Amino acid sequence: MSEKSSSSGSDEDVDPESGQPVEFGGVLSKWTNYIHGWQDRWVVLKNNTLSYYKSEDEREYGCRGSLCLSKAVITPHEFDECRFDISVNDSVWYLRAEDPEHRLQWIESIEVHKFPSPSLSRCCDLRACGRLLTRLQAESGYGSETSLRRHGSMLSLTSAASALSSTSTSSFKKGHRLREKLAEMETFRDILCRQVDTLQKYFDSCADAVSKDEFQRDKEEDEDEFPATTRPDGEHNHNNNGSKEKLFAPASPKGMNGIDFKGEAITFKATTAGILSTLSHCIELMVKREDSWQKRLDKELDKRRRIEDAYKMTLNELKKKSHYGGPDYEEGPNSLINEDEFFDAVEAALDRQDKIEEQCHSEKVRIHRLAQVPTGDAFSTIGTHRFASKSRSYSSSLSLSELVSASDDIHRFSYQVEEMVQNHMTYSLQDVGGDANWQLVIEEGEMKVYRREVEENGIVLDPLKATHAVKGVTGHEVCHYFWDTDFRMDWETTIENYNVVETLSDNAIIVYQTHKRVWPASQRDVLYLSAIRKLLATNENDPDTWLVCNFSVDHDGAPPTNRCVRAKINVAMICQTLVSPPEGDKEISRDNILCKITYVANVNPGGWAPASVLRAVAKREYPKFLKRFTSYVQEKTSGKTILF
């Protein structure tokens, strides 16, 4: 899951001529599928497109997949600081960087390529807005001469009267009546402004006339002391009775300054009436439109609720189907898969493996593959080890400290083997029939499987014990085929590959093996010491015992990796051979022998698999393993010399 630091660009490199980001590339771990998991891929970011290749050297052969980033959604993972997901519609890429800093660099680079030119984007937005405004203006009619022309007074009044009489719901539904009334309101406003100016002029004229009349009256009062004189124009200031004469000639029918005050008053009244009517009509239309808007709003809200419900349902379906098998659904502390779905997926995967094994068995195609060497020292091949004889000049090639260390390892492993053998002989052969702590989970003929439920820190550590009786084979033969790695892949169907890390002696080896992955469970590997022993009976009436014990150890040549969960095991196969005397002088045949098998297993699977799933799988697989293995031994020994 590492990322190489090499890249062909950075998130700040921009082409000075085009303003576009230059190419950016590097190695990211990409989730392929639940079988192969995370794989290193060469990822390239260029021209708003994210592409990946199997390696940098294979770019010339074309990319294996690409995503357009225009509508991509980038989601940093909530728990994994090195992981981020890129989704475009139903397509999702799960990617992991080397560290959080590289993840941030990739996310920023993708964002830069996703929006390459802000200035260009703004120009496009402005042009789009301009086109939208032009279209709206053309549809609404605003800005045209016909909608904004100014009408005369009589035309406006006639329009208002006809509009009041022709108001209908159909015109409202067409959406034009309100705009027409607003245009009429604008025309009425202009007419009213002109009429107010006219009336203001008339009132100003009246005010001037009153001022002149008062001035003339004051002047006549001053002239009362003098006799009356005849004016040249024949007008008199006072008659003989002392009454005032008219100061001005009689006004014309048009009024002062040619203003028809009565006509203007009627027009002003009609204009204000038209405005009030139009306002009332606008209010009526607004009320009707408000009801329509409310109905549309309720309809849109209901539509939105339906879309949200459909989105949630689709999202749940996608979680179960489209992205089922992604890294978020594999075994882990934050897995999105529930316990029932976990069990169903494991059971389905085991069923598929059983069908494949049946087909391979029928076609007799069992292929032995050596395990890949984990990071560290190379494994020793079978037959060589660091405790080999001096004839190989081994001691001359080692320093004194290395010889001391090798000697310490010899004593340490020898002590562990002896301790395990004694523990199994003491406790594993004890009868569990009357022990209430042991539960009988399977009973098929001579085979019985017992289990004792034990959990530690939430991890299932159930000890398992099985007893079986197999005719026609000896304990030596059963233990031989169980211990010898040359036959391991012939009967063990759960192993993906294996290798002998080190051969300690003729009857003790250290083995590293990886087991086939059963999705959504993580893949497991095991590093264990395997030893085979023959234990002589202390009583001449008791049979000898053959034993194979496999228990986990640590070794520098096979350190734990982050691709597998390291399981811990303590397993023993204990066999005793019972011989029934043949009739007469006949030789002992396979019909006269019976092998009593006691198989015990203490396994710490590690990881985060649910307890119920682990127990169900153990209940299913252990009896199948025991029957498959014993049948294999019977098949291999049939017709051969008995090996006591």
Side-chain angles (χ1 to χ4, degrees):
M1 267 71 85
S2 65
E3 179 202 17
K4 298 178 183 177
S5 59
S6 61
S7 61
S8 57
S10 67
D11 54 347
E12 297 180 355
D13 292 337
V14 177
D15 190 340
E17 296 182 359
S18 62
Q20 300 293 326
V22 298
E23 178 180 327
F24 181 81
V27 176
L28 292 175
S29 293
K30 182 180 182 296
W31 177 266
T32 55
N33 51 55
Y34 67 86
I35 296 177
H36 298 96
W38 298 96
Q39 297 292 331
D40 289 343
R41 295 290 183 260
W42 181 261
V43 183
V44 176
L45 188 59
K46 182 179 181 181
N47 296 334
N48 197 28
T49 301
L50 189 68
S51 308
Y52 80 92
Y53 307 81
K54 187 174 182 180
S55 64
E56 184 178 7
D57 297 333
E58 295 189 5
R59 291 189 61 180
E60 59 183 8
Y61 301 115
C63 69
R64 294 197 165 196
S66 62
L67 285 178
C68 180
L69 300 176
S70 299
K71 297 182 179 180
V73 179
I74 306 169
T75 308
H77 197 264
E78 183 178 1
F79 305 106
D80 192 341
E81 295 182 351
C82 299
R83 175 182 153 192
F84 61 99
D85 304 340
I86 303 177
S87 59
V88 179
N89 297 327
D90 294 338
S91 179
V92 180
W93 285 11
Y94 306 101
L95 302 172
R96 292 190 84 254
E98 181 183 7
D99 48 47
E101 289 75 14
H102 282 85
R103 182 184 77 165
L104 179 60
Q105 182 183 8
W106 271 98
I107 292 176
E108 291 177 349
S109 300
I110 292 173
E111 292 292 348
V112 170
H113 280 257
K114 186 177 179 182
F115 304 104
S117 179
S119 59
L120 181 61
S121 299
R122 287 195 295 270
C123 293
C124 293
D125 292 341
L126 290 175
R127 288 196 295 269
C129 291
R131 289 193 297 269
L132 178 62
L133 289 174
T134 303
R135 181 170 60 84
L136 291 175
Q137 187 178 22
E139 291 179 356
S140 62
Y142 283 115
S144 62
E145 296 180 357
T146 56
S147 63
L148 299 179
R149 64 177 181 270
R150 299 295 182 262
H151 304 285
S153 299
M154 296 305 294
L155 181 59
S156 300
L157 294 177
T158 304
S159 174
S162 62
L164 290 175
S165 62
S166 63
T167 302
S168 63
T169 307
S170 62
S171 62
F172 161 70
K173 289 182 179 180
K174 292 180 181 179
H176 299 295
R177 178 60 62 182
L178 184 60
R179 287 195 292 270
E180 293 175 359
K181 290 303 175 183
L182 291 176
E184 290 181 4
M185 287 288 295
E186 193 173 353
T187 303
F188 279 135
R189 183 200 62 185
D190 295 342
I191 297 173
L192 189 61
C193 289
R194 290 198 299 269
Q195 291 175 348
V196 169
D197 292 339
T198 302
L199 292 176
Q200 186 63 47
K201 291 179 181 179
Y202 180 79
F203 294 147
D204 292 342
S205 299
C206 291
D208 292 340
V210 171
S211 298
K212 290 180 180 179
D213 188 33
E214 291 179 354
F215 175 76
Q216 187 66 28
R217 186 183 302 170
D218 293 338
K219 183 177 180 181
E220 290 178 354
E221 288 177 356
D222 293 336
E223 292 177 354
D224 284 344
E225 299 176 359
F226 302 97
T229 59
T230 303
R231 298 178 62 88
D233 55 1
E235 292 183 356
H236 300 278
N237 292 327
H238 294 84
N239 56 18
N240 294 331
N241 297 327
S243 61
K244 294 181 179 180
E245 297 288 344
K246 291 183 179 180
L247 297 176
F248 304 99
S252 64
K254 295 292 182 181
M256 292 184 178
N257 297 327
I259 298 175
D260 185 0
F261 178 74
K262 186 175 182 180
E264 291 294 337
I266 295 174
T267 304
F268 182 80
K269 183 178 180 181
T271 304
T272 53
I275 292 176
L276 294 176
S277 298
T278 304
L279 284 175
S280 300
H281 189 73
C282 289
I283 293 173
E284 180 183 357
L285 292 177
M286 293 295 291
V287 171
K288 292 180 179 180
R289 181 157 293 186
E290 182 181 7
D291 295 338
S292 176
W293 286 342
Q294 186 63 43
K295 292 179 181 179
R296 291 175 62 182
L297 177 61
D298 295 339
K299 186 177 180 180
E300 290 296 328
L301 290 176
D302 184 63
K303 183 178 179 181
R304 179 177 179 178
R305 282 193 293 268
R306 291 197 303 269
I307 294 176
E308 288 178 348
D309 293 340
Y311 172 76
K312 292 178 181 178
M313 293 178 61
T314 305
L315 188 61
N316 292 333
E317 292 297 326
L318 287 175
K319 287 181 178 180
K320 294 180 180 179
K321 296 180 180 179
S322 299
H323 306 300
Y324 200 73
D328 292 324
Y329 295 87
E330 65 178 346
E331 174 189 351
N334 305 303
S335 177
L336 299 180
I337 192 171
N338 59 45
E339 191 168 323
D340 293 336
E341 293 173 339
F342 195 104
F343 175 77
D344 293 340
V346 168
E347 189 174 37
L350 291 175
D351 290 339
R352 288 193 298 269
Q353 288 187 7
D354 290 343
K355 291 181 180 179
I356 294 173
E357 289 301 326
E358 290 177 2
Q359 183 179 1
C360 292
H361 182 73
S362 61
E363 297 176 358
K364 301 295 183 182
V365 282
R366 304 281 303 178
I367 301 175
H368 178 200
R369 294 179 296 166
L370 295 179
Q372 295 179 353
V373 181
T375 304
D377 297 336
F379 292 155
S380 300
T381 59
I382 298 177
T384 62
H385 54 91
R386 51 197 171 105
F387 309 129
S389 62
K390 293 184 180 179
S391 60
R392 295 183 178 177
S393 302
Y394 180 78
S395 58
S396 62
S397 64
L398 296 178
S399 63
L400 178 61
S401 61
E402 290 174 329
L403 286 173
V404 172
S405 176
S407 178
D408 292 340
D409 286 342
I410 291 175
H411 292 295
R412 175 168 59 88
F413 286 131
S414 298
Y415 175 77
Q416 288 179 332
V417 171
E418 293 301 325
E419 183 182 19
M420 288 294 177
V421 169
Q422 293 302 322
N423 287 339
H424 283 302
M425 291 301 296
T426 302
Y427 300 106
S428 299
L429 293 178
Q430 293 180 355
D431 187 16
V432 298
D435 193 340
N437 293 326
W438 289 91
Q439 303 174 5
L440 179 62
V441 293
I442 295 291
E443 183 175 6
E444 296 181 7
E446 296 292 336
M447 182 177 63
K448 296 180 181 179
V449 180
Y450 300 88
R451 181 181 67 198
R452 183 158 53 90
E453 293 189 357
V454 176
E455 287 191 25
E456 183 177 335
N457 297 326
I459 300 178
V460 175
L461 304 175
D462 295 352
L464 184 139
K465 187 172 185 177
T467 60
H468 196 20
V470 183
K471 292 182 179 181
V473 295
T474 65
H476 187 184
E477 292 170 335
V478 172
C479 289
H480 169 70
Y481 286 105
F482 185 74
W483 178 79
D484 196 336
T485 56
D486 290 340
F487 305 100
R488 181 67 51 84
M489 298 300 290
D490 291 340
W491 57 266
E492 179 60 274
T493 61
T494 64
I495 294 178
E496 183 176 77
N497 42 49
Y498 78 94
N499 209 330
V500 176
V501 179
E502 189 169 349
T503 302
L504 303 177
S505 65
D506 293 337
N507 57 7
I509 57 176
I510 296 179
V511 180
Y512 170 78
Q513 66 187 29
T514 58
H515 290 262
K516 295 177 181 177
R517 182 175 184 187
V518 181
W519 192 89
S522 300
Q523 189 172 22
R524 260 72 176 176
D525 64 357
V526 185
L527 179 67
Y528 62 93
L529 188 153
S530 181
I532 183 172
R533 289 291 183 86
K534 179 182 179 180
L535 305 175
L536 299 177
T538 57
N539 189 336
E540 62 180 6
N541 295 325
D542 294 335
D544 294 336
T545 301
W546 281 90
L547 178 144
V548 175
C549 61
N550 300 335
F551 56 93
S552 293
V553 294
D554 295 325
H555 196 282
D556 294 338
T561 66
N562 55 4
R563 293 185 180 274
C564 295
V565 176
R566 180 62 58 89
K568 302 292 184 180
I569 65 170
N570 183 5
V571 176
M573 177 76 75
I574 307 172
C575 302
Q576 293 176 331
T577 305
L578 303 180
V579 181
S580 59
E583 297 179 359
D585 297 333
K586 293 182 179 180
E587 294 183 357
I588 297 175
S589 66
R590 293 193 177 275
D591 295 333
N592 303 118
I593 59 177
L594 177 71
C595 181
K596 292 184 62 177
I597 300 175
T598 301
Y599 178 79
V600 292
N602 294 273
V603 179
N604 181 352
W608 300 270
S612 61
V613 176
L614 291 174
R615 291 191 172 106
V617 171
K619 183 178 179 181
R620 164 184 167 145
E621 293 301 313
Y622 276 115
K624 290 172 57 178
F625 145 72
L626 201 55
K627 289 190 294 184
R628 181 175 61 249
F629 172 68
T630 54
S631 298
Y632 171 78
V633 176
Q634 287 177 321
E635 180 183 349
K636 293 291 289 186
T637 58
S638 178
K640 295 182 179 180
T641 304
I642 301 176
L643 181 63
F644 287 100

